Amino acid sequence: MANLAPLYVLFLAAGSVSPDGSWDVRQSADDAPLLSAVAGALAMAVAALTVFTTAAHWLRSR
């Protein structure tokens, strides 16, 4: 379930690339890299939690 959070943020990043009008070109271009970085950070956090819980389960089973 936690893997869906970065997917949603990447969806928001892709949706923010299209400007609302001629006045919004710069803002939408600035939002896409920021949202992509947030998605990357979320993906890394989920990966770290997965490794931590897997290691904890492995250590408990020994």
Side-chain angles (χ1 to χ4, degrees):
M1 194 68 175
N3 290 324
L4 294 178
L7 179 66
Y8 178 69
V9 174
L10 282 176
F11 175 74
L12 289 177
S16 71
V17 173
S18 61
D20 293 333
S22 62
W23 66 91
D24 194 32
V25 174
R26 185 70 187 149
Q27 182 64 36
S28 63
D30 289 342
D31 287 345
L34 174 67
L35 288 174
S36 296
V38 169
L42 282 173
M44 292 300 288
V46 169
L49 286 173
T50 302
V51 168
F52 176 74
T53 56
T54 303
H57 178 64
W58 180 74
L59 287 172
R60 275 188 243 160
S61 67
R62 295 191 102 207

Short mmCIF file of all heavy atoms in Angstrom, two decimals:
data_model
loop_
_atom_site.label_atom_id
_atom_site.label_comp_id
_atom_site.label_asym_id
_atom_site.label_seq_id
_atom_site.Cartn_x
_atom_site.Cartn_y
_atom_site.Cartn_z
N MET A 1 0.82 -1.19 0.00
CA MET A 1 0.00 0.00 0.00
C MET A 1 0.87 1.26 0.00
O MET A 1 0.53 2.25 -0.64
CB MET A 1 -0.92 -0.04 1.22
CG MET A 1 -2.01 0.94 1.16
SD MET A 1 -3.14 0.48 -0.13
CE MET A 1 -4.36 1.68 0.10
N ALA A 2 1.99 1.22 0.72
CA ALA A 2 2.85 2.40 0.79
C ALA A 2 3.53 2.69 -0.54
O ALA A 2 3.94 3.82 -0.78
CB ALA A 2 3.91 2.21 1.87
N ASN A 3 3.64 1.71 -1.40
CA ASN A 3 4.26 1.94 -2.71
C ASN A 3 3.36 2.76 -3.63
O ASN A 3 3.83 3.25 -4.65
CB ASN A 3 4.60 0.62 -3.37
CG ASN A 3 5.72 -0.08 -2.68
OD1 ASN A 3 6.64 0.55 -2.20
ND2 ASN A 3 5.65 -1.39 -2.59
N LEU A 4 2.11 2.92 -3.28
CA LEU A 4 1.21 3.72 -4.11
C LEU A 4 1.39 5.22 -3.88
O LEU A 4 1.02 6.02 -4.74
CB LEU A 4 -0.24 3.33 -3.84
CG LEU A 4 -0.61 1.91 -4.25
CD1 LEU A 4 -2.06 1.62 -3.88
CD2 LEU A 4 -0.39 1.68 -5.72
N ALA A 5 1.96 5.62 -2.76
CA ALA A 5 2.17 7.04 -2.48
C ALA A 5 3.12 7.69 -3.49
O ALA A 5 2.79 8.74 -4.05
CB ALA A 5 2.65 7.25 -1.06
N PRO A 6 4.30 7.11 -3.77
CA PRO A 6 5.15 7.72 -4.80
C PRO A 6 4.50 7.72 -6.19
O PRO A 6 4.70 8.66 -6.96
CB PRO A 6 6.41 6.86 -4.80
CG PRO A 6 6.43 6.22 -3.47
CD PRO A 6 5.01 6.03 -3.09
N LEU A 7 3.72 6.70 -6.46
CA LEU A 7 3.02 6.65 -7.75
C LEU A 7 2.04 7.81 -7.88
O LEU A 7 1.96 8.46 -8.92
CB LEU A 7 2.28 5.33 -7.91
CG LEU A 7 1.48 5.15 -9.18
CD1 LEU A 7 2.42 5.11 -10.39
CD2 LEU A 7 0.67 3.88 -9.12
N TYR A 8 1.32 8.12 -6.81
CA TYR A 8 0.37 9.24 -6.82
C TYR A 8 1.11 10.57 -6.99
O TYR A 8 0.66 11.44 -7.75
CB TYR A 8 -0.46 9.24 -5.54
CG TYR A 8 -1.42 10.40 -5.46
CD1 TYR A 8 -2.51 10.47 -6.31
CD2 TYR A 8 -1.21 11.42 -4.54
CE1 TYR A 8 -3.39 11.54 -6.24
CE2 TYR A 8 -2.09 12.49 -4.48
CZ TYR A 8 -3.17 12.54 -5.32
OH TYR A 8 -4.03 13.60 -5.25
N VAL A 9 2.24 10.72 -6.31
CA VAL A 9 2.99 11.97 -6.42
C VAL A 9 3.56 12.13 -7.83
O VAL A 9 3.57 13.23 -8.39
CB VAL A 9 4.09 12.05 -5.35
CG1 VAL A 9 4.97 13.26 -5.54
CG2 VAL A 9 3.47 12.08 -3.97
N LEU A 10 4.02 11.03 -8.43
CA LEU A 10 4.49 11.10 -9.82
C LEU A 10 3.35 11.44 -10.76
O LEU A 10 3.53 12.16 -11.75
CB LEU A 10 5.15 9.79 -10.23
CG LEU A 10 6.55 9.58 -9.71
CD1 LEU A 10 7.06 8.21 -10.10
CD2 LEU A 10 7.49 10.65 -10.23
N PHE A 11 2.16 10.95 -10.48
CA PHE A 11 0.98 11.31 -11.27
C PHE A 11 0.72 12.81 -11.16
O PHE A 11 0.40 13.47 -12.15
CB PHE A 11 -0.23 10.51 -10.80
CG PHE A 11 -1.51 10.89 -11.48
CD1 PHE A 11 -1.75 10.51 -12.79
CD2 PHE A 11 -2.46 11.63 -10.82
CE1 PHE A 11 -2.93 10.87 -13.42
CE2 PHE A 11 -3.64 11.99 -11.43
CZ PHE A 11 -3.87 11.61 -12.74
N LEU A 12 0.85 13.37 -9.97
CA LEU A 12 0.69 14.82 -9.79
C LEU A 12 1.77 15.59 -10.54
O LEU A 12 1.50 16.65 -11.11
CB LEU A 12 0.74 15.18 -8.31
CG LEU A 12 -0.44 14.77 -7.45
CD1 LEU A 12 -0.20 15.14 -6.00
CD2 LEU A 12 -1.72 15.40 -7.95
N ALA A 13 3.00 15.06 -10.55
CA ALA A 13 4.08 15.73 -11.27
C ALA A 13 3.81 15.74 -12.76
O ALA A 13 4.04 16.75 -13.44
CB ALA A 13 5.41 15.04 -10.98
N ALA A 14 3.32 14.64 -13.29
CA ALA A 14 3.01 14.59 -14.72
C ALA A 14 1.84 15.51 -15.06
O ALA A 14 1.82 16.14 -16.12
CB ALA A 14 2.69 13.16 -15.13
N GLY A 15 0.89 15.63 -14.15
CA GLY A 15 -0.26 16.50 -14.39
C GLY A 15 0.07 17.96 -14.27
O GLY A 15 -0.60 18.81 -14.87
N SER A 16 1.12 18.28 -13.53
CA SER A 16 1.46 19.70 -13.35
C SER A 16 2.30 20.25 -14.49
O SER A 16 2.56 21.44 -14.52
CB SER A 16 2.19 19.90 -12.02
OG SER A 16 3.49 19.36 -12.10
N VAL A 17 2.72 19.40 -15.41
CA VAL A 17 3.56 19.87 -16.51
C VAL A 17 2.76 20.72 -17.49
O VAL A 17 3.26 21.68 -18.05
CB VAL A 17 4.22 18.67 -17.23
CG1 VAL A 17 4.94 19.12 -18.47
CG2 VAL A 17 5.18 17.98 -16.29
N SER A 18 1.49 20.40 -17.68
CA SER A 18 0.69 21.19 -18.60
C SER A 18 0.24 22.48 -17.92
O SER A 18 -0.38 22.46 -16.87
CB SER A 18 -0.53 20.40 -19.07
OG SER A 18 -1.33 20.07 -17.97
N PRO A 19 0.55 23.63 -18.50
CA PRO A 19 0.18 24.91 -17.88
C PRO A 19 -1.31 25.19 -18.01
O PRO A 19 -1.98 24.69 -18.90
CB PRO A 19 1.01 25.92 -18.66
CG PRO A 19 1.25 25.28 -19.98
CD PRO A 19 1.32 23.81 -19.73
N ASP A 20 -1.83 26.00 -17.10
CA ASP A 20 -3.23 26.41 -17.15
C ASP A 20 -3.48 27.46 -18.21
O ASP A 20 -4.59 27.61 -18.70
CB ASP A 20 -3.67 26.95 -15.79
CG ASP A 20 -3.70 25.86 -14.73
OD1 ASP A 20 -3.88 24.69 -15.09
OD2 ASP A 20 -3.52 26.21 -13.55
N GLY A 21 -2.46 28.21 -18.53
CA GLY A 21 -2.58 29.27 -19.53
C GLY A 21 -1.20 29.85 -19.81
O GLY A 21 -0.19 29.35 -19.34
N SER A 22 -1.18 30.93 -20.58
CA SER A 22 0.11 31.52 -20.94
C SER A 22 0.83 32.12 -19.74
O SER A 22 2.04 32.26 -19.76
CB SER A 22 -0.11 32.58 -22.01
OG SER A 22 -0.93 33.62 -21.50
N TRP A 23 0.10 32.46 -18.68
CA TRP A 23 0.70 33.05 -17.49
C TRP A 23 1.31 31.99 -16.57
O TRP A 23 2.07 32.31 -15.67
CB TRP A 23 -0.37 33.82 -16.71
CG TRP A 23 -1.41 32.90 -16.16
CD1 TRP A 23 -1.39 32.30 -14.93
CD2 TRP A 23 -2.59 32.45 -16.80
NE1 TRP A 23 -2.48 31.49 -14.77
CE2 TRP A 23 -3.25 31.57 -15.92
CE3 TRP A 23 -3.18 32.68 -18.03
CZ2 TRP A 23 -4.44 30.93 -16.23
CZ3 TRP A 23 -4.37 32.06 -18.33
CH2 TRP A 23 -4.98 31.21 -17.45
N ASP A 24 1.02 30.72 -16.80
CA ASP A 24 1.37 29.67 -15.86
C ASP A 24 2.52 28.78 -16.34
O ASP A 24 2.79 27.75 -15.76
CB ASP A 24 0.14 28.81 -15.57
CG ASP A 24 0.32 27.92 -14.38
OD1 ASP A 24 1.05 28.31 -13.45
OD2 ASP A 24 -0.23 26.82 -14.39
N VAL A 25 3.20 29.15 -17.39
CA VAL A 25 4.21 28.27 -17.97
C VAL A 25 5.38 28.05 -17.01
O VAL A 25 5.82 26.93 -16.79
CB VAL A 25 4.71 28.85 -19.31
CG1 VAL A 25 5.85 28.03 -19.86
CG2 VAL A 25 3.57 28.92 -20.30
N ARG A 26 5.89 29.06 -16.40
CA ARG A 26 7.05 28.94 -15.53
C ARG A 26 6.72 28.17 -14.25
O ARG A 26 7.50 27.33 -13.81
CB ARG A 26 7.58 30.33 -15.19
CG ARG A 26 8.84 30.30 -14.39
CD ARG A 26 9.99 29.81 -15.25
NE ARG A 26 11.15 29.64 -14.40
CZ ARG A 26 12.08 28.75 -14.59
NH1 ARG A 26 12.02 27.94 -15.61
NH2 ARG A 26 13.09 28.66 -13.78
N GLN A 27 5.58 28.42 -13.65
CA GLN A 27 5.22 27.75 -12.41
C GLN A 27 5.03 26.25 -12.62
O GLN A 27 5.49 25.44 -11.82
CB GLN A 27 3.94 28.36 -11.81
CG GLN A 27 3.53 27.76 -10.49
CD GLN A 27 4.55 28.00 -9.40
OE1 GLN A 27 5.17 29.05 -9.35
NE2 GLN A 27 4.74 27.03 -8.53
N SER A 28 4.38 25.86 -13.69
CA SER A 28 4.18 24.43 -13.92
C SER A 28 5.49 23.74 -14.26
O SER A 28 5.68 22.58 -13.92
CB SER A 28 3.16 24.21 -15.04
OG SER A 28 3.64 24.74 -16.26
N ALA A 29 6.40 24.44 -14.90
CA ALA A 29 7.70 23.85 -15.20
C ALA A 29 8.53 23.69 -13.92
O ALA A 29 9.34 22.78 -13.83
CB ALA A 29 8.45 24.71 -16.21
N ASP A 30 8.33 24.55 -12.93
CA ASP A 30 9.06 24.46 -11.67
C ASP A 30 8.48 23.38 -10.76
O ASP A 30 9.20 22.83 -9.92
CB ASP A 30 9.04 25.79 -10.94
CG ASP A 30 9.90 26.84 -11.62
OD1 ASP A 30 10.76 26.45 -12.43
OD2 ASP A 30 9.70 28.04 -11.34
N ASP A 31 7.20 23.08 -10.88
CA ASP A 31 6.56 22.11 -9.99
C ASP A 31 6.94 20.67 -10.31
O ASP A 31 7.01 19.84 -9.40
CB ASP A 31 5.04 22.24 -10.06
CG ASP A 31 4.55 23.49 -9.36
OD1 ASP A 31 5.32 24.10 -8.61
OD2 ASP A 31 3.38 23.87 -9.59
N ALA A 32 7.17 20.34 -11.56
CA ALA A 32 7.43 18.96 -11.94
C ALA A 32 8.70 18.40 -11.30
O ALA A 32 8.66 17.31 -10.73
CB ALA A 32 7.49 18.85 -13.46
N PRO A 33 9.85 19.09 -11.33
CA PRO A 33 11.03 18.52 -10.66
C PRO A 33 10.87 18.41 -9.15
O PRO A 33 11.36 17.45 -8.54
CB PRO A 33 12.15 19.50 -11.00
CG PRO A 33 11.69 20.22 -12.20
CD PRO A 33 10.21 20.28 -12.10
N LEU A 34 10.17 19.35 -8.55
CA LEU A 34 9.96 19.30 -7.11
C LEU A 34 9.12 18.08 -6.75
O LEU A 34 9.45 17.32 -5.83
CB LEU A 34 9.27 20.58 -6.62
CG LEU A 34 8.86 20.58 -5.16
CD1 LEU A 34 10.08 20.56 -4.26
CD2 LEU A 34 7.99 21.78 -4.85
N LEU A 35 8.02 17.86 -7.46
CA LEU A 35 7.17 16.72 -7.17
C LEU A 35 7.87 15.41 -7.49
O LEU A 35 7.67 14.40 -6.80
CB LEU A 35 5.86 16.83 -7.94
CG LEU A 35 4.90 17.90 -7.43
CD1 LEU A 35 3.71 18.04 -8.35
CD2 LEU A 35 4.45 17.58 -6.03
N SER A 36 8.71 15.39 -8.49
CA SER A 36 9.48 14.19 -8.79
C SER A 36 10.48 13.89 -7.68
O SER A 36 10.70 12.72 -7.33
CB SER A 36 10.21 14.34 -10.12
OG SER A 36 9.28 14.48 -11.17
N ALA A 37 11.09 14.92 -7.12
CA ALA A 37 12.00 14.72 -6.00
C ALA A 37 11.26 14.21 -4.77
O ALA A 37 11.77 13.35 -4.04
CB ALA A 37 12.72 16.02 -5.67
N VAL A 38 10.06 14.71 -4.53
CA VAL A 38 9.24 14.23 -3.41
C VAL A 38 8.89 12.76 -3.61
O VAL A 38 8.95 11.96 -2.68
CB VAL A 38 7.97 15.09 -3.24
CG1 VAL A 38 7.00 14.46 -2.28
CG2 VAL A 38 8.35 16.49 -2.77
N ALA A 39 8.56 12.39 -4.84
CA ALA A 39 8.24 10.99 -5.13
C ALA A 39 9.46 10.11 -4.92
O ALA A 39 9.36 9.00 -4.39
CB ALA A 39 7.72 10.85 -6.55
N GLY A 40 10.63 10.59 -5.31
CA GLY A 40 11.85 9.83 -5.08
C GLY A 40 12.14 9.66 -3.60
O GLY A 40 12.55 8.58 -3.16
N ALA A 41 11.92 10.71 -2.83
CA ALA A 41 12.13 10.62 -1.38
C ALA A 41 11.15 9.65 -0.74
O ALA A 41 11.52 8.86 0.14
CB ALA A 41 12.00 12.00 -0.75
N LEU A 42 9.90 9.67 -1.18
CA LEU A 42 8.92 8.72 -0.66
C LEU A 42 9.29 7.29 -1.03
O LEU A 42 9.15 6.37 -0.21
CB LEU A 42 7.53 9.04 -1.21
CG LEU A 42 6.79 10.20 -0.57
CD1 LEU A 42 5.50 10.50 -1.33
CD2 LEU A 42 6.48 9.90 0.88
N ALA A 43 9.75 7.08 -2.25
CA ALA A 43 10.16 5.75 -2.66
C ALA A 43 11.34 5.24 -1.84
O ALA A 43 11.39 4.07 -1.46
CB ALA A 43 10.51 5.75 -4.14
N MET A 44 12.29 6.12 -1.55
CA MET A 44 13.43 5.73 -0.72
C MET A 44 13.00 5.41 0.71
O MET A 44 13.51 4.48 1.33
CB MET A 44 14.49 6.83 -0.73
CG MET A 44 15.16 7.02 -2.06
SD MET A 44 16.00 5.57 -2.65
CE MET A 44 17.38 5.53 -1.55
N ALA A 45 12.06 6.18 1.24
CA ALA A 45 11.56 5.92 2.59
C ALA A 45 10.84 4.58 2.65
O ALA A 45 11.03 3.81 3.61
CB ALA A 45 10.63 7.05 3.03
N VAL A 46 10.04 4.28 1.65
CA VAL A 46 9.34 3.00 1.61
C VAL A 46 10.34 1.86 1.47
O VAL A 46 10.20 0.82 2.13
CB VAL A 46 8.30 2.98 0.46
CG1 VAL A 46 7.77 1.59 0.22
CG2 VAL A 46 7.17 3.93 0.78
N ALA A 47 11.37 2.04 0.65
CA ALA A 47 12.39 1.00 0.50
C ALA A 47 13.13 0.78 1.82
O ALA A 47 13.42 -0.37 2.20
CB ALA A 47 13.35 1.38 -0.60
N ALA A 48 13.45 1.85 2.52
CA ALA A 48 14.15 1.73 3.81
C ALA A 48 13.27 1.01 4.83
O ALA A 48 13.76 0.16 5.59
CB ALA A 48 14.56 3.10 4.33
N LEU A 49 11.99 1.34 4.86
CA LEU A 49 11.08 0.65 5.78
C LEU A 49 10.95 -0.82 5.42
O LEU A 49 10.86 -1.67 6.32
CB LEU A 49 9.71 1.32 5.77
CG LEU A 49 9.62 2.65 6.49
CD1 LEU A 49 8.25 3.29 6.25
CD2 LEU A 49 9.85 2.47 7.97
N THR A 50 10.94 -1.13 4.15
CA THR A 50 10.84 -2.52 3.73
C THR A 50 12.08 -3.29 4.16
O THR A 50 11.98 -4.41 4.67
CB THR A 50 10.66 -2.60 2.20
OG1 THR A 50 9.49 -1.88 1.84
CG2 THR A 50 10.54 -4.03 1.74
N VAL A 51 13.25 -2.71 3.96
CA VAL A 51 14.49 -3.38 4.37
C VAL A 51 14.53 -3.54 5.89
O VAL A 51 14.90 -4.60 6.40
CB VAL A 51 15.72 -2.58 3.87
CG1 VAL A 51 17.00 -3.05 4.52
CG2 VAL A 51 15.82 -2.68 2.36
N PHE A 52 14.12 -2.52 6.62
CA PHE A 52 14.13 -2.59 8.07
C PHE A 52 13.19 -3.67 8.59
O PHE A 52 13.57 -4.47 9.45
CB PHE A 52 13.73 -1.23 8.66
CG PHE A 52 13.62 -1.24 10.16
CD1 PHE A 52 14.76 -1.28 10.94
CD2 PHE A 52 12.38 -1.22 10.78
CE1 PHE A 52 14.67 -1.29 12.33
CE2 PHE A 52 12.28 -1.23 12.15
CZ PHE A 52 13.43 -1.27 12.93
N THR A 53 11.98 -3.72 8.08
CA THR A 53 11.03 -4.73 8.57
C THR A 53 11.44 -6.13 8.15
O THR A 53 11.26 -7.08 8.91
CB THR A 53 9.60 -4.43 8.08
OG1 THR A 53 9.60 -4.34 6.66
CG2 THR A 53 9.07 -3.16 8.69
N THR A 54 12.02 -6.27 6.97
CA THR A 54 12.49 -7.59 6.54
C THR A 54 13.66 -8.05 7.40
O THR A 54 13.72 -9.21 7.80
CB THR A 54 12.90 -7.55 5.06
OG1 THR A 54 11.79 -7.10 4.29
CG2 THR A 54 13.35 -8.90 4.56
N ALA A 55 14.59 -7.15 7.69
CA ALA A 55 15.73 -7.50 8.54
C ALA A 55 15.27 -7.83 9.96
O ALA A 55 15.78 -8.77 10.58
CB ALA A 55 16.73 -6.36 8.56
N ALA A 56 14.32 -7.08 10.48
CA ALA A 56 13.82 -7.34 11.82
C ALA A 56 13.13 -8.70 11.89
O ALA A 56 13.32 -9.46 12.84
CB ALA A 56 12.85 -6.24 12.25
N HIS A 57 12.37 -9.02 10.87
CA HIS A 57 11.71 -10.32 10.82
C HIS A 57 12.74 -11.43 10.72
O HIS A 57 12.62 -12.47 11.37
CB HIS A 57 10.74 -10.37 9.64
CG HIS A 57 10.05 -11.69 9.50
ND1 HIS A 57 9.20 -12.18 10.45
CD2 HIS A 57 10.10 -12.62 8.50
CE1 HIS A 57 8.76 -13.35 10.05
NE2 HIS A 57 9.29 -13.64 8.87
N TRP A 58 13.78 -11.24 9.91
CA TRP A 58 14.83 -12.24 9.76
C TRP A 58 15.59 -12.45 11.07
O TRP A 58 15.90 -13.57 11.45
CB TRP A 58 15.78 -11.82 8.64
CG TRP A 58 16.89 -12.79 8.40
CD1 TRP A 58 16.80 -14.00 7.79
CD2 TRP A 58 18.25 -12.63 8.79
NE1 TRP A 58 18.03 -14.59 7.78
CE2 TRP A 58 18.95 -13.78 8.39
CE3 TRP A 58 18.94 -11.61 9.45
CZ2 TRP A 58 20.29 -13.94 8.61
CZ3 TRP A 58 20.29 -11.78 9.67
CH2 TRP A 58 20.95 -12.94 9.25
N LEU A 59 15.88 -11.34 11.78
CA LEU A 59 16.61 -11.46 13.04
C LEU A 59 15.76 -12.13 14.12
O LEU A 59 16.29 -12.86 14.96
CB LEU A 59 17.07 -10.08 13.51
CG LEU A 59 18.23 -9.47 12.73
CD1 LEU A 59 18.45 -8.04 13.17
CD2 LEU A 59 19.47 -10.30 12.91
N ARG A 60 14.46 -11.89 14.12
CA ARG A 60 13.60 -12.52 15.11
C ARG A 60 13.45 -14.02 14.88
O ARG A 60 13.22 -14.78 15.80
CB ARG A 60 12.21 -11.88 15.11
CG ARG A 60 12.16 -10.65 15.96
CD ARG A 60 10.76 -10.17 16.08
NE ARG A 60 10.76 -8.84 15.47
CZ ARG A 60 9.72 -8.22 15.02
NH1 ARG A 60 8.54 -8.79 15.08
NH2 ARG A 60 9.82 -7.02 14.49
N SER A 61 13.54 -14.43 13.62
CA SER A 61 13.34 -15.85 13.30
C SER A 61 14.59 -16.68 13.61
O SER A 61 14.53 -17.90 13.60
CB SER A 61 12.98 -16.00 11.82
OG SER A 61 14.07 -15.64 11.00
N ARG A 62 15.72 -16.04 13.88
CA ARG A 62 16.95 -16.79 14.15
C ARG A 62 16.99 -17.20 15.56
O ARG A 62 16.94 -17.12 16.54
CB ARG A 62 18.16 -15.95 13.82
CG ARG A 62 18.17 -15.68 12.33
CD ARG A 62 19.45 -15.08 11.90
NE ARG A 62 20.16 -16.21 11.30
CZ ARG A 62 21.45 -16.34 11.21
NH1 ARG A 62 22.22 -15.42 11.70
NH2 ARG A 62 22.01 -17.37 10.64
#
